[in-house]
Amino acid sequence: MFKAVIFDLDGTLLDTLADLLTTLNSVLARHNYPTHSIDECRYLVGHGMRELVRKALPEDEGTVDIIDRLLPEFMEEYTLNWNINSRPYPGIAEMLDSLKKRGIKTAILSNKADQFTLLCAEELLGNWKFDVVMGQRNGIPSKPDPTSALSVAAELEATPSEILYVGDSGIDMQTATRAGFYPLGVLWGFRPESELLELGAKSLAAHPDDIITLIEK
């Protein structure tokens, strides 16, 4: 049924929340802004790093000038600690091995800045060769706009109906729906089941093995 699988990165393949939160809170505290808990951070991430900074600021402080000042600090600090605690979720390695054995193409599509998406793929998921790895790039709309998703599909030489899209957020489910992919929501990530179902998930995975089960149907 599926020729290729496109994965979101943060909250889907990798648990990156602690490193993102540490960096974010360090920058916020330096400028005397309120910091956030890890549960709050779950709802801040997903739209890209610029939006992460904007959403983390008090509502009346999220101006273009302030974001422009804090974002480079966030990016610089994240460069130093992006991989302190970040790791693949349990079962991800075995699931990726199974996909490769079946000859199914794989890709990563993230709203994380492209430079960090590539780093994560190379250093934390380097045992697997992804056919395409794409993070947020200048000039290309971020998810849930389907532009980047359809670009990845073209590189995979797969039609939308042949693609399983796996993600942990409503953003991912909207992206898959708008691109014509099959949206599969994972329950081990950053967002709740209710969000996934409300925004378009056709199936849910409680464990990475469920991805293989769906492919074999």
Side-chain angles (χ1 to χ4, degrees):
M1 181 178 177
F2 298 112
K3 182 178 178 180
V5 181
I6 300 176
F7 294 97
D8 175 50
L9 184 65
D10 301 68
T12 301
L13 293 174
L14 300 178
D15 185 355
T16 57
L17 200 59
D19 290 337
L20 285 166
L21 180 64
T22 297
T23 303
L24 181 66
N25 279 344
S26 175
V27 174
L28 291 172
R30 189 181 305 135
H31 293 273
N32 298 313
Y33 291 118
T35 56
H36 295 275
S37 70
I38 198 154
D39 284 334
E40 289 171 335
C41 191
R42 293 178 186 277
Y43 292 90
L44 299 176
V45 299
H47 290 273
M49 290 178 161
R50 184 177 184 86
E51 275 297 287
L52 172 59
V53 172
R54 184 190 68 79
K55 292 169 72 174
L57 288 164
E59 189 172 346
D60 58 346
E61 296 285 347
T63 65
V64 172
D65 287 345
I66 292 175
I67 297 168
D68 284 345
R69 186 166 71 251
L70 267 58
L71 181 59
E73 291 185 29
F74 177 87
M75 298 285 278
E76 182 177 359
E77 190 155 336
Y78 193 55
T79 300
L80 302 176
N81 59 22
W82 65 272
N83 61 351
I84 293 174
N85 295 294
S86 296
R87 298 290 184 272
Y89 285 100
I92 291 297
E94 294 80 3
M95 179 270 296
L96 292 174
D97 285 340
S98 294
L99 290 178
K100 289 303 178 183
K101 287 178 183 177
R102 288 165 172 77
I104 293 174
K105 294 181 178 180
T106 56
I108 294 172
L109 177 62
S110 177
N111 275 344
K112 197 185 200 86
D114 195 49
Q115 69 194 78
F116 291 115
T117 301
L118 293 170
L119 268 176
C120 285
E122 180 178 348
E123 296 197 22
L124 300 180
L125 297 164
N127 289 338
W128 302 274
K129 171 65 177 175
F130 290 87
D131 296 279
V132 184
V133 177
M134 183 178 182
Q136 190 170 42
R137 300 175 183 174
N138 292 334
I140 300 178
S142 59
K143 299 183 296 182
D145 186 289
T147 301
S148 57
L150 292 171
S151 175
V152 170
E155 288 193 59
L156 292 171
E157 299 180 336
T159 62
S161 63
E162 296 173 320
I163 294 175
L164 174 64
Y165 189 99
V166 182
D168 72 303
S169 73
I171 297 166
D172 296 311
M173 301 304 97
Q174 289 176 313
T175 303
T177 300
R178 294 175 186 181
F181 305 157
Y182 186 100
L184 173 64
V186 304
L187 300 178
W188 57 80
F190 299 164
R191 303 293 178 82
E193 177 180 345
S194 57
E195 177 180 317
L196 297 169
L197 292 172
E198 180 181 348
L199 294 176
K202 289 186 178 179
S203 297
L204 297 172
H207 187 276
D209 285 347
D210 296 336
I211 298 169
I212 303 302
T213 301
L214 178 61
I215 286 172
E216 291 180 337
K217 283 186 177 180

